[in-house]
Amino acid sequence: AQMSPPSADIILYTPSEKIFVAGAPALLSAFGMTRKGDTINNLTYTWAYGDGGQGIGSSTMYRYLYPGRYIAQVEATNGYVVGIGRINVRVIAPDIAITKKGDGKYGPYVEINNPNIHDLDISYWKLTIDGGVFDFPKNTMIPRGETTRFTGYAMGFASTTIASSTVIK
């Protein structure tokens, strides 16, 4: 038996542009059908998010870690038809703020506020205290609309003294 070449008779419906906040979950989705509007059975969707990340499924969640512009590409196929769609993605910096710093009962701490409407994943982001650099561990989240206290003990700056002149970025 001989297979016929993939058909150009597939349309992928995707938004042309999406805007996301860096560190927040991003929902990307696509839907494929024939040019006549008929459903195509057994389509599998493969995503390339434009920053090296990949995923599968007609709808997928992804976290862009850095602000910038990306082109997310999705390919759908069932082995007989193939379609490719693209989404222009703009990732903006989250609007977070260091709201408090100090030395508390259990040592130094920094409080960070997330006024965004999404939870933010700040895994591997860096915090500098008077030139010393401290990495947020994997899966560090700040809930939407909340302020989270990060302690020196957990972050590795327990021996740092935080004074009013301390510079934190």
Side-chain angles (χ1 to χ4, degrees):
Q2 205 175 20
M3 287 192 63
S4 58
S7 168
D9 193 33
I10 183 174
I11 296 176
L12 280 183
Y13 292 93
T14 61
S16 62
E17 184 173 20
K18 295 285 278 187
I19 299 172
F20 300 115
V21 174
L27 176 64
L28 295 157
S29 60
F31 180 76
M33 58 188 341
T34 68
R35 293 187 187 282
K36 294 178 186 176
D38 297 329
T39 301
I40 301 172
N41 294 323
N42 302 320
L43 283 177
T44 58
Y45 298 82
T46 305
W47 291 86
Y49 299 114
D51 67 347
Q54 297 179 342
I56 56 171
S58 62
S59 291
T60 180
M61 294 293 285
Y62 188 67
R63 289 183 195 274
Y64 286 93
L65 299 180
Y66 301 102
R69 293 191 172 274
Y70 304 92
I71 296 175
Q73 183 169 294
V74 59
E75 179 179 290
T77 185
N78 65 358
Y80 299 104
V81 294
V82 176
I84 296 176
R86 290 184 171 192
I87 301 172
N88 292 312
V89 175
R90 186 165 57 109
V91 180
I92 59 175
D95 183 21
I96 62 174
I98 296 172
T99 55
K100 196 171 183 184
K101 61 185 178 183
D103 283 308
K105 181 178 179 180
Y106 301 105
Y109 67 88
V110 173
E111 289 184 357
I112 300 177
N113 177 260
N114 171 17
N116 299 288
I117 62 170
H118 300 286
D119 298 337
L120 289 178
D121 181 349
I122 59 171
S123 301
Y124 309 117
W125 289 20
K126 300 193 183 309
L127 180 71
T128 62
I129 302 175
D130 284 338
V133 179
F134 305 93
D135 293 330
F136 287 94
K138 182 179 180 181
N139 298 321
T140 302
M141 302 289 292
I142 303 178
R144 65 180 178 214
E146 297 289 328
T147 298
T148 301
R149 181 174 283 194
F150 297 95
T151 65
Y153 177 75
M155 292 281 301
F157 59 88
S159 62
T160 303
T161 302
I162 296 183
S164 59
S165 62
T166 300
V167 177
I168 300 176
K169 298 180 184 178

